[in-house]
Amino acid sequence: MAFIATVSLADGTPMPRFGMGTWYLGESAHAHDRELAALRAGLDAGVRLIDTAEMYGSGAAERLVGEAIRGYNREELFLVSKVYPHNAGRPEIFESVEASLERLGTDYLDMYLLHWRGAVPLSETVECMEELVEDGVIRHWGVSNFDADDLEELYGVFCGDHCAVNQDLYHLGSRGVEYEILPWMRSAGMPLMAYCPLAQAGDLRRGLVSDPAVVEVAHRHGASPLQILLAFVLRDPMVVAIPRSGDAAHVLENIAACDIELSGDDLSLLSSSFPAPAHPVPLDIV
Ligand SMILES: NC(=O)c1ccc[n+]([C@@H]2O[C@H](COP(=O)([O-])OP(=O)(O)OC[C@H]3O[C@@H](n4cnc5c(N)ncnc54)[C@H](OP(=O)(O)O)[C@@H]3O)[C@@H](O)[C@H]2O)c1
């Protein structure tokens, strides 16, 4: 069983620092058994956090997660789902969360995120999220694709500072969040959920996985370049990584990356190819 560290949310709740993403999972009948086995392999190996959304496959990913978690102790799991921006107000959000719960086969979410900012005022979304917490439908709420200005604005809204996490794109080849967002979140005690931590197997940044620095550090650790990408985001104790895989062997390889500790030398080498930002960078999204 892998050891997966946790990070404390502002209220002290432990949140696993490694989870399984689910974008594109559950969409193909042909891949169903393989993807279900991948999620189950992760659960059997000790992964407890799963990240999903009503958007993914229009509910198909949530349905697959519901199938995967059947038989596991719900209280030990940490389920994260997301509401579409156009559903993040009343009354839609209450219908959205109920539909997510139904597909997941559970009666509460550990974390409910606003997927990205839309036209619904933040104050209305926060009010609804707070009601959902009060009613026990969700345990925490957070946001996604927020930059530092968005977080600042959120904190200006009544109860906006109850936001538990922000989920943004973060991988070695896209380090913009390190300039302003991560420091802001660190000072607020708010963990960052890093999405696309594998840069979608390198597709989001040409040359990332084959970069000589990445290959050299991988060689030093007897690891794969993708494992080094995971170890890179996980080096920060305020960061949670949620790589997605529909392949059981890949899931196990990703979990094993939790044990890789990058040295100062490793980080300098990686930074020589992919430097930390020296000035503000627009928020990267997919
Ligand atoms: N909040 C947001 O707006 C937002 C946006 C994007 C993503 N997300 C969340 O973050 C999660 C992760 O992001 P992502 O799915 O876009 O990309 P990712 O996790 O960076 O990369 C996924 C890709 O990597 C491959 N892969 C995974 N492990 C591998 C391994 N060990 N060896 C080789 N290939 C491997 C997968 O293929 P295989 O299936 O073949 O392994 C898949 O093609 C999503 O699933 C979703 O839950 C959130």
Side-chain angles (χ1 to χ4, degrees), residues 20-25 34 51-52 56 82 115-116 144-145 167 194-201 224 226 242-247 249-251 253-254 286:
M20 294 184 284
T22 63
W23 197 15
Y24 296 117
L25 298 188
R34 189 172 53 83
D51 178 80
T52 189
Y56 301 161
K82 313 184 196 78
H115 208 148
W116 65 90
S144 179
N145 295 300
Q167 185 176 119
Y195 77 67
C196 300
L198 301 170
Q200 296 189 337
S224 70
L226 290 182
I242 48 167
R244 174 247 318 175
S245 179
D247 178 293
H250 288 174
V251 168
E253 182 184 324
N254 296 343
V286 283

mmCIF file of all heavy atoms in Angstrom, residues 20-25 34 51-52 56 82 115-116 144-145 167 194-201 224 226 242-247 249-251 253-254 286, ligand 1:
data_model
loop_
_atom_site.group_PDB
_atom_site.id
_atom_site.type_symbol
_atom_site.label_atom_id
_atom_site.label_comp_id
_atom_site.label_asym_id
_atom_site.label_seq_id
_atom_site.Cartn_x
_atom_site.Cartn_y
_atom_site.Cartn_z
ATOM 1 N N MET A 20 -6.703 10.675 -8.250
ATOM 2 C CA MET A 20 -6.858 10.268 -9.652
ATOM 3 C C MET A 20 -7.809 11.229 -10.369
ATOM 4 O O MET A 20 -8.935 11.444 -9.914
ATOM 5 C CB MET A 20 -7.407 8.835 -9.725
ATOM 6 C CG MET A 20 -6.418 7.811 -9.181
ATOM 7 S SD MET A 20 -6.986 6.098 -9.366
ATOM 8 C CE MET A 20 -8.208 5.976 -8.057
ATOM 9 N N GLY A 21 -7.341 11.783 -11.482
ATOM 10 C CA GLY A 21 -8.196 12.608 -12.330
ATOM 11 C C GLY A 21 -9.065 11.701 -13.188
ATOM 12 O O GLY A 21 -8.774 10.513 -13.352
ATOM 13 N N THR A 22 -10.118 12.279 -13.760
ATOM 14 C CA THR A 22 -11.069 11.439 -14.518
ATOM 15 C C THR A 22 -11.553 12.063 -15.824
ATOM 16 O O THR A 22 -12.508 11.556 -16.427
ATOM 17 C CB THR A 22 -12.303 11.085 -13.659
ATOM 18 O OG1 THR A 22 -12.975 12.306 -13.333
ATOM 19 C CG2 THR A 22 -11.925 10.332 -12.399
ATOM 20 N N TRP A 23 -10.939 13.149 -16.257
ATOM 21 C CA TRP A 23 -11.368 13.769 -17.512
ATOM 22 C C TRP A 23 -11.210 12.739 -18.630
ATOM 23 O O TRP A 23 -10.166 12.079 -18.704
ATOM 24 C CB TRP A 23 -10.516 15.004 -17.793
ATOM 25 C CG TRP A 23 -11.096 15.940 -18.816
ATOM 26 C CD1 TRP A 23 -12.363 15.960 -19.294
ATOM 27 C CD2 TRP A 23 -10.389 17.016 -19.453
ATOM 28 N NE1 TRP A 23 -12.514 16.985 -20.190
ATOM 29 C CE2 TRP A 23 -11.322 17.647 -20.314
ATOM 30 C CE3 TRP A 23 -9.099 17.515 -19.381
ATOM 31 C CZ2 TRP A 23 -10.982 18.749 -21.093
ATOM 32 C CZ3 TRP A 23 -8.753 18.611 -20.158
ATOM 33 C CH2 TRP A 23 -9.680 19.223 -21.002
ATOM 34 N N TYR A 24 -12.199 12.621 -19.472
ATOM 35 C CA TYR A 24 -12.233 11.678 -20.613
ATOM 36 C C TYR A 24 -12.485 10.231 -20.204
ATOM 37 O O TYR A 24 -12.620 9.371 -21.079
ATOM 38 C CB TYR A 24 -10.941 11.716 -21.447
ATOM 39 C CG TYR A 24 -10.685 13.045 -22.121
ATOM 40 C CD1 TYR A 24 -9.554 13.796 -21.798
ATOM 41 C CD2 TYR A 24 -11.574 13.543 -23.065
ATOM 42 C CE1 TYR A 24 -9.321 15.020 -22.408
ATOM 43 C CE2 TYR A 24 -11.345 14.761 -23.671
ATOM 44 C CZ TYR A 24 -10.219 15.497 -23.337
ATOM 45 O OH TYR A 24 -9.984 16.704 -23.936
ATOM 46 N N LEU A 25 -12.527 9.920 -18.912
ATOM 47 C CA LEU A 25 -12.821 8.536 -18.524
ATOM 48 C C LEU A 25 -14.336 8.320 -18.565
ATOM 49 O O LEU A 25 -15.115 9.241 -18.355
ATOM 50 C CB LEU A 25 -12.292 8.217 -17.119
ATOM 51 C CG LEU A 25 -10.776 8.315 -16.898
ATOM 52 C CD1 LEU A 25 -10.397 7.778 -15.512
ATOM 53 C CD2 LEU A 25 -9.995 7.562 -17.971
ATOM 54 N N ARG A 34 -11.318 -1.497 -18.838
ATOM 55 C CA ARG A 34 -9.926 -1.106 -18.598
ATOM 56 C C ARG A 34 -9.869 0.103 -17.655
ATOM 57 O O ARG A 34 -9.072 0.142 -16.716
ATOM 58 C CB ARG A 34 -9.263 -0.762 -19.941
ATOM 59 C CG ARG A 34 -7.773 -0.553 -19.874
ATOM 60 C CD ARG A 34 -7.165 -0.415 -21.269
ATOM 61 N NE ARG A 34 -7.819 0.610 -22.083
ATOM 62 C CZ ARG A 34 -7.534 1.905 -22.017
ATOM 63 N NH1 ARG A 34 -6.614 2.343 -21.199
ATOM 64 N NH2 ARG A 34 -8.169 2.770 -22.786
ATOM 65 N N ASP A 51 -10.859 13.011 -8.471
ATOM 66 C CA ASP A 51 -11.321 14.301 -8.973
ATOM 67 C C ASP A 51 -12.190 14.076 -10.209
ATOM 68 O O ASP A 51 -11.767 13.424 -11.165
ATOM 69 C CB ASP A 51 -10.116 15.169 -9.369
ATOM 70 C CG ASP A 51 -10.559 16.502 -9.945
ATOM 71 O OD1 ASP A 51 -10.889 17.398 -9.151
ATOM 72 O OD2 ASP A 51 -10.594 16.646 -11.189
ATOM 73 N N THR A 52 -13.398 14.616 -10.179
ATOM 74 C CA THR A 52 -14.271 14.469 -11.339
ATOM 75 C C THR A 52 -15.077 15.752 -11.525
ATOM 76 O O THR A 52 -14.786 16.772 -10.897
ATOM 77 C CB THR A 52 -15.146 13.190 -11.181
ATOM 78 O OG1 THR A 52 -15.821 12.950 -12.401
ATOM 79 C CG2 THR A 52 -16.134 13.281 -10.037
ATOM 80 N N TYR A 56 -17.427 16.190 -17.265
ATOM 81 C CA TYR A 56 -16.666 15.112 -17.899
ATOM 82 C C TYR A 56 -17.599 14.039 -18.465
ATOM 83 O O TYR A 56 -18.264 13.320 -17.727
ATOM 84 C CB TYR A 56 -15.668 14.487 -16.916
ATOM 85 C CG TYR A 56 -14.648 15.460 -16.344
ATOM 86 C CD1 TYR A 56 -13.940 15.179 -15.191
ATOM 87 C CD2 TYR A 56 -14.398 16.687 -16.970
ATOM 88 C CE1 TYR A 56 -13.010 16.071 -14.667
ATOM 89 C CE2 TYR A 56 -13.471 17.589 -16.460
ATOM 90 C CZ TYR A 56 -12.791 17.272 -15.315
ATOM 91 O OH TYR A 56 -11.879 18.165 -14.795
ATOM 92 N N LYS A 82 -17.171 18.978 -9.639
ATOM 93 C CA LYS A 82 -17.198 20.400 -10.025
ATOM 94 C C LYS A 82 -18.509 20.736 -10.700
ATOM 95 O O LYS A 82 -19.076 19.906 -11.418
ATOM 96 C CB LYS A 82 -16.054 20.724 -11.001
ATOM 97 C CG LYS A 82 -14.710 20.191 -10.568
ATOM 98 C CD LYS A 82 -13.594 20.613 -11.514
ATOM 99 C CE LYS A 82 -12.363 19.764 -11.287
ATOM 100 N NZ LYS A 82 -12.461 18.417 -11.894
ATOM 101 N N HIS A 115 -16.125 25.182 -11.429
ATOM 102 C CA HIS A 115 -15.153 24.702 -12.432
ATOM 103 C C HIS A 115 -14.334 25.849 -13.036
ATOM 104 O O HIS A 115 -13.150 25.719 -13.264
ATOM 105 C CB HIS A 115 -15.905 23.914 -13.518
ATOM 106 C CG HIS A 115 -15.083 22.859 -14.175
ATOM 107 N ND1 HIS A 115 -15.604 21.689 -14.645
ATOM 108 C CD2 HIS A 115 -13.768 22.789 -14.458
ATOM 109 C CE1 HIS A 115 -14.634 20.946 -15.179
ATOM 110 N NE2 HIS A 115 -13.529 21.600 -15.080
ATOM 111 N N TRP A 116 -14.964 26.931 -13.342
ATOM 112 C CA TRP A 116 -14.288 28.171 -13.744
ATOM 113 C C TRP A 116 -15.274 29.299 -13.585
ATOM 114 O O TRP A 116 -16.462 29.066 -13.362
ATOM 115 C CB TRP A 116 -13.703 28.078 -15.169
ATOM 116 C CG TRP A 116 -14.704 27.937 -16.290
ATOM 117 C CD1 TRP A 116 -15.297 28.954 -16.982
ATOM 118 C CD2 TRP A 116 -15.220 26.710 -16.872
ATOM 119 N NE1 TRP A 116 -16.149 28.423 -17.938
ATOM 120 C CE2 TRP A 116 -16.105 27.064 -17.905
ATOM 121 C CE3 TRP A 116 -15.005 25.351 -16.611
ATOM 122 C CZ2 TRP A 116 -16.808 26.111 -18.675
ATOM 123 C CZ3 TRP A 116 -15.690 24.401 -17.375
ATOM 124 C CH2 TRP A 116 -16.566 24.782 -18.390
ATOM 125 N N SER A 144 -11.791 26.720 -9.183
ATOM 126 C CA SER A 144 -10.843 26.193 -10.151
ATOM 127 C C SER A 144 -10.621 27.243 -11.235
ATOM 128 O O SER A 144 -11.531 28.020 -11.544
ATOM 129 C CB SER A 144 -11.395 24.906 -10.763
ATOM 130 O OG SER A 144 -10.494 24.396 -11.718
ATOM 131 N N ASN A 145 -9.409 27.239 -11.794
ATOM 132 C CA ASN A 145 -9.035 28.203 -12.832
ATOM 133 C C ASN A 145 -9.146 29.645 -12.337
ATOM 134 O O ASN A 145 -9.499 30.545 -13.111
ATOM 135 C CB ASN A 145 -9.872 27.969 -14.103
ATOM 136 C CG ASN A 145 -9.576 26.616 -14.720
ATOM 137 O OD1 ASN A 145 -8.445 26.337 -15.096
ATOM 138 N ND2 ASN A 145 -10.579 25.748 -14.783
ATOM 139 N N GLN A 167 -8.071 24.890 -7.857
ATOM 140 C CA GLN A 167 -7.497 23.893 -8.764
ATOM 141 C C GLN A 167 -7.069 24.601 -10.047
ATOM 142 O O GLN A 167 -7.913 25.149 -10.755
ATOM 143 C CB GLN A 167 -8.532 22.794 -9.055
ATOM 144 C CG GLN A 167 -7.976 21.666 -9.897
ATOM 145 C CD GLN A 167 -8.957 20.516 -10.128
ATOM 146 O OE1 GLN A 167 -9.318 20.220 -11.275
ATOM 147 N NE2 GLN A 167 -9.387 19.859 -9.075
ATOM 148 N N ALA A 194 -3.181 20.591 -8.431
ATOM 149 C CA ALA A 194 -2.508 20.769 -9.713
ATOM 150 C C ALA A 194 -3.147 19.871 -10.753
ATOM 151 O O ALA A 194 -3.026 18.648 -10.686
ATOM 152 C CB ALA A 194 -1.028 20.430 -9.570
ATOM 153 N N TYR A 195 -3.822 20.497 -11.729
ATOM 154 C CA TYR A 195 -4.376 19.659 -12.801
ATOM 155 C C TYR A 195 -3.416 19.618 -13.981
ATOM 156 O O TYR A 195 -2.527 20.458 -14.094
ATOM 157 C CB TYR A 195 -5.801 20.074 -13.159
ATOM 158 C CG TYR A 195 -6.065 21.295 -14.007
ATOM 159 C CD1 TYR A 195 -5.697 21.360 -15.345
ATOM 160 C CD2 TYR A 195 -6.786 22.362 -13.480
ATOM 161 C CE1 TYR A 195 -5.998 22.452 -16.134
ATOM 162 C CE2 TYR A 195 -7.094 23.476 -14.257
ATOM 163 C CZ TYR A 195 -6.695 23.517 -15.591
ATOM 164 O OH TYR A 195 -7.002 24.598 -16.375
ATOM 165 N N CYS A 196 -3.577 18.586 -14.820
ATOM 166 C CA CYS A 196 -2.614 18.313 -15.905
ATOM 167 C C CYS A 196 -1.181 18.238 -15.374
ATOM 168 O O CYS A 196 -0.258 18.801 -15.996
ATOM 169 C CB CYS A 196 -2.687 19.351 -17.020
ATOM 170 S SG CYS A 196 -4.278 19.453 -17.826
ATOM 171 N N PRO A 197 -0.938 17.550 -14.249
ATOM 172 C CA PRO A 197 0.419 17.533 -13.699
ATOM 173 C C PRO A 197 1.396 16.798 -14.614
ATOM 174 O O PRO A 197 2.607 16.980 -14.492
ATOM 175 C CB PRO A 197 0.246 16.784 -12.369
ATOM 176 C CG PRO A 197 -0.956 15.915 -12.582
ATOM 177 C CD PRO A 197 -1.875 16.722 -13.459
ATOM 178 N N LEU A 198 0.843 15.977 -15.544
ATOM 179 C CA LEU A 198 1.687 15.261 -16.515
ATOM 180 C C LEU A 198 1.727 16.003 -17.852
ATOM 181 O O LEU A 198 2.202 15.452 -18.843
ATOM 182 C CB LEU A 198 1.138 13.847 -16.747
ATOM 183 C CG LEU A 198 1.047 12.945 -15.511
ATOM 184 C CD1 LEU A 198 0.256 11.676 -15.824
ATOM 185 C CD2 LEU A 198 2.448 12.592 -15.031
ATOM 186 N N ALA A 199 1.203 17.225 -17.853
ATOM 187 C CA ALA A 199 1.104 17.980 -19.107
ATOM 188 C C ALA A 199 0.450 17.123 -20.179
ATOM 189 O O ALA A 199 0.848 17.148 -21.347
ATOM 190 C CB ALA A 199 2.482 18.473 -19.564
ATOM 191 N N GLN A 200 -0.556 16.344 -19.752
ATOM 192 C CA GLN A 200 -1.259 15.392 -20.630
ATOM 193 C C GLN A 200 -0.230 14.514 -21.369
ATOM 194 O O GLN A 200 -0.181 14.464 -22.586
ATOM 195 C CB GLN A 200 -2.228 16.116 -21.574
ATOM 196 C CG GLN A 200 -3.338 16.805 -20.775
ATOM 197 C CD GLN A 200 -4.468 17.360 -21.609
ATOM 198 O OE1 GLN A 200 -4.308 17.633 -22.788
ATOM 199 N NE2 GLN A 200 -5.634 17.538 -20.989
ATOM 200 N N ALA A 201 0.563 13.831 -20.547
ATOM 201 C CA ALA A 201 1.617 12.924 -21.044
ATOM 202 C C ALA A 201 2.611 13.674 -21.934
ATOM 203 O O ALA A 201 3.218 13.093 -22.824
ATOM 204 C CB ALA A 201 1.007 11.723 -21.760
ATOM 205 N N SER A 224 10.642 7.197 -14.462
ATOM 206 C CA SER A 224 10.290 7.637 -15.811
ATOM 207 C C SER A 224 10.182 9.169 -15.803
ATOM 208 O O SER A 224 9.949 9.780 -14.756
ATOM 209 C CB SER A 224 8.940 7.028 -16.230
ATOM 210 O OG SER A 224 7.906 7.621 -15.470
ATOM 211 N N LEU A 226 7.741 10.939 -16.724
ATOM 212 C CA LEU A 226 6.426 11.363 -16.197
ATOM 213 C C LEU A 226 6.408 11.309 -14.672
ATOM 214 O O LEU A 226 5.788 12.148 -14.009
ATOM 215 C CB LEU A 226 5.297 10.498 -16.782
ATOM 216 C CG LEU A 226 5.000 10.702 -18.270
ATOM 217 C CD1 LEU A 226 3.831 9.814 -18.712
ATOM 218 C CD2 LEU A 226 4.676 12.170 -18.588
ATOM 219 N N ILE A 242 -3.275 15.418 -9.333
ATOM 220 C CA ILE A 242 -4.404 14.551 -9.722
ATOM 221 C C ILE A 242 -4.222 14.024 -11.146
ATOM 222 O O ILE A 242 -5.054 14.281 -12.028
ATOM 223 C CB ILE A 242 -5.759 15.286 -9.576
ATOM 224 C CG1 ILE A 242 -5.711 16.697 -10.216
ATOM 225 C CG2 ILE A 242 -6.180 15.383 -8.112
ATOM 226 C CD1 ILE A 242 -7.087 17.340 -10.387
ATOM 227 N N PRO A 243 -3.144 13.252 -11.394
ATOM 228 C CA PRO A 243 -2.963 12.703 -12.745
ATOM 229 C C PRO A 243 -4.094 11.761 -13.110
ATOM 230 O O PRO A 243 -4.649 11.086 -12.241
ATOM 231 C CB PRO A 243 -1.638 11.936 -12.626
ATOM 232 C CG PRO A 243 -1.554 11.556 -11.184
ATOM 233 C CD PRO A 243 -2.173 12.703 -10.437
ATOM 234 N N ARG A 244 -4.389 11.730 -14.398
ATOM 235 C CA ARG A 244 -5.447 10.816 -14.870
ATOM 236 C C ARG A 244 -4.825 9.695 -15.686
ATOM 237 O O ARG A 244 -3.926 9.936 -16.502
ATOM 238 C CB ARG A 244 -6.435 11.602 -15.738
ATOM 239 C CG ARG A 244 -7.497 10.761 -16.415
ATOM 240 C CD ARG A 244 -7.359 10.705 -17.940
ATOM 241 N NE ARG A 244 -7.029 11.976 -18.558
ATOM 242 C CZ ARG A 244 -6.778 12.110 -19.845
ATOM 243 N NH1 ARG A 244 -6.831 11.067 -20.675
ATOM 244 N NH2 ARG A 244 -6.445 13.298 -20.347
ATOM 245 N N SER A 245 -5.317 8.491 -15.464
ATOM 246 C CA SER A 245 -4.941 7.393 -16.342
ATOM 247 C C SER A 245 -6.068 6.371 -16.397
ATOM 248 O O SER A 245 -6.717 6.084 -15.399
ATOM 249 C CB SER A 245 -3.659 6.718 -15.845
ATOM 250 O OG SER A 245 -3.366 5.644 -16.717
ATOM 251 N N GLY A 246 -6.242 5.815 -17.580
ATOM 252 C CA GLY A 246 -7.216 4.742 -17.767
ATOM 253 C C GLY A 246 -6.499 3.400 -17.874
ATOM 254 O O GLY A 246 -7.057 2.441 -18.402
ATOM 255 N N ASP A 247 -5.277 3.362 -17.356
ATOM 256 C CA ASP A 247 -4.451 2.162 -17.494
ATOM 257 C C ASP A 247 -3.894 1.809 -16.106
ATOM 258 O O ASP A 247 -3.191 2.621 -15.494
ATOM 259 C CB ASP A 247 -3.313 2.497 -18.477
ATOM 260 C CG ASP A 247 -2.358 1.342 -18.679
ATOM 261 O OD1 ASP A 247 -1.645 0.983 -17.723
ATOM 262 O OD2 ASP A 247 -2.319 0.804 -19.790
ATOM 263 N N ALA A 249 -1.518 -0.110 -14.973
ATOM 264 C CA ALA A 249 -0.057 -0.061 -14.780
ATOM 265 C C ALA A 249 0.411 1.391 -14.669
ATOM 266 O O ALA A 249 1.288 1.715 -13.848
ATOM 267 C CB ALA A 249 0.647 -0.764 -15.934
ATOM 268 N N HIS A 250 -0.180 2.282 -15.463
ATOM 269 C CA HIS A 250 0.182 3.702 -15.386
ATOM 270 C C HIS A 250 -0.206 4.282 -14.029
ATOM 271 O O HIS A 250 0.538 5.063 -13.438
ATOM 272 C CB HIS A 250 -0.513 4.492 -16.490
ATOM 273 C CG HIS A 250 0.036 4.235 -17.861
ATOM 274 N ND1 HIS A 250 -0.529 4.749 -19.002
ATOM 275 C CD2 HIS A 250 1.106 3.504 -18.276
ATOM 276 C CE1 HIS A 250 0.157 4.360 -20.060
ATOM 277 N NE2 HIS A 250 1.152 3.592 -19.643
ATOM 278 N N VAL A 251 -1.383 3.891 -13.538
ATOM 279 C CA VAL A 251 -1.821 4.404 -12.230
ATOM 280 C C VAL A 251 -0.806 4.020 -11.158
ATOM 281 O O VAL A 251 -0.395 4.850 -10.337
ATOM 282 C CB VAL A 251 -3.230 3.865 -11.862
ATOM 283 C CG1 VAL A 251 -3.566 4.143 -10.410
ATOM 284 C CG2 VAL A 251 -4.293 4.475 -12.776
ATOM 285 N N GLU A 253 2.316 3.274 -11.553
ATOM 286 C CA GLU A 253 3.567 4.021 -11.792
ATOM 287 C C GLU A 253 3.434 5.450 -11.228
ATOM 288 O O GLU A 253 4.359 5.978 -10.612
ATOM 289 C CB GLU A 253 3.830 4.069 -13.307
ATOM 290 C CG GLU A 253 5.112 4.772 -13.694
ATOM 291 C CD GLU A 253 5.277 4.870 -15.223
ATOM 292 O OE1 GLU A 253 4.889 3.921 -15.946
ATOM 293 O OE2 GLU A 253 5.796 5.898 -15.679
ATOM 294 N N ASN A 254 2.274 6.031 -11.433
ATOM 295 C CA ASN A 254 2.064 7.399 -10.942
ATOM 296 C C ASN A 254 2.087 7.443 -9.411
ATOM 297 O O ASN A 254 2.681 8.341 -8.818
ATOM 298 C CB ASN A 254 0.736 7.954 -11.478
ATOM 299 C CG ASN A 254 0.752 8.094 -12.997
ATOM 300 O OD1 ASN A 254 1.823 8.085 -13.618
ATOM 301 N ND2 ASN A 254 -0.423 8.198 -13.595
ATOM 302 N N VAL A 286 -6.595 24.709 -19.829
ATOM 303 C CA VAL A 286 -6.854 23.855 -20.998
ATOM 304 C C VAL A 286 -8.354 23.872 -21.279
ATOM 305 O O VAL A 286 -9.156 24.093 -20.397
ATOM 306 C CB VAL A 286 -6.433 22.376 -20.798
ATOM 307 C CG1 VAL A 286 -4.934 22.235 -20.933
ATOM 308 C CG2 VAL A 286 -6.957 21.788 -19.514
HETATM 309 N N1 LIG B 1 -10.295 22.112 -13.246
HETATM 310 C C1 LIG B 1 -10.049 22.043 -14.535
HETATM 311 O O1 LIG B 1 -10.392 22.932 -15.323
HETATM 312 C C2 LIG B 1 -9.329 20.836 -15.064
HETATM 313 C C3 LIG B 1 -8.769 20.845 -16.348
HETATM 314 C C4 LIG B 1 -8.073 19.735 -16.788
HETATM 315 C C5 LIG B 1 -7.942 18.641 -15.958
HETATM 316 N N2 LIG B 1 -8.528 18.619 -14.707
HETATM 317 C C6 LIG B 1 -8.414 17.438 -13.818
HETATM 318 O O2 LIG B 1 -7.031 17.074 -13.733
HETATM 319 C C7 LIG B 1 -6.880 15.725 -14.175
HETATM 320 C C8 LIG B 1 -5.527 15.535 -14.828
HETATM 321 O O3 LIG B 1 -5.389 16.297 -16.006
HETATM 322 P P1 LIG B 1 -5.493 15.635 -17.473
HETATM 323 O O4 LIG B 1 -6.320 14.429 -17.413
HETATM 324 O O5 LIG B 1 -5.935 16.707 -18.398
HETATM 325 O O6 LIG B 1 -3.985 15.328 -17.854
HETATM 326 P P2 LIG B 1 -2.744 14.572 -17.155
HETATM 327 O O7 LIG B 1 -3.137 13.887 -15.914
HETATM 328 O O8 LIG B 1 -1.647 15.585 -17.114
HETATM 329 O O9 LIG B 1 -2.370 13.519 -18.292
HETATM 330 C C9 LIG B 1 -3.230 12.483 -18.664
HETATM 331 C C10 LIG B 1 -2.596 11.716 -19.797
HETATM 332 O O10 LIG B 1 -1.389 11.097 -19.339
HETATM 333 C C11 LIG B 1 -1.393 9.711 -19.667
HETATM 334 N N3 LIG B 1 -0.708 9.023 -18.571
HETATM 335 C C12 LIG B 1 -1.025 9.033 -17.261
HETATM 336 N N4 LIG B 1 -0.138 8.336 -16.546
HETATM 337 C C13 LIG B 1 0.752 7.828 -17.428
HETATM 338 C C14 LIG B 1 1.908 7.013 -17.307
HETATM 339 N N5 LIG B 1 2.323 6.596 -16.112
HETATM 340 N N6 LIG B 1 2.584 6.671 -18.447
HETATM 341 C C15 LIG B 1 2.178 7.109 -19.654
HETATM 342 N N7 LIG B 1 1.108 7.903 -19.846
HETATM 343 C C16 LIG B 1 0.401 8.266 -18.733
HETATM 344 C C17 LIG B 1 -2.844 9.332 -19.768
HETATM 345 O O11 LIG B 1 -2.997 8.248 -20.663
HETATM 346 P P3 LIG B 1 -3.353 6.762 -20.149
HETATM 347 O O12 LIG B 1 -4.816 6.793 -19.805
HETATM 348 O O13 LIG B 1 -3.018 5.909 -21.321
HETATM 349 O O14 LIG B 1 -2.498 6.468 -18.969
HETATM 350 C C18 LIG B 1 -3.441 10.611 -20.349
HETATM 351 O O15 LIG B 1 -3.299 10.600 -21.752
HETATM 352 C C19 LIG B 1 -8.076 15.522 -15.112
HETATM 353 O O16 LIG B 1 -8.316 14.171 -15.418
HETATM 354 C C20 LIG B 1 -9.158 16.213 -14.329
HETATM 355 O O17 LIG B 1 -9.630 15.396 -13.275
HETATM 356 C C21 LIG B 1 -9.183 19.712 -14.243
#
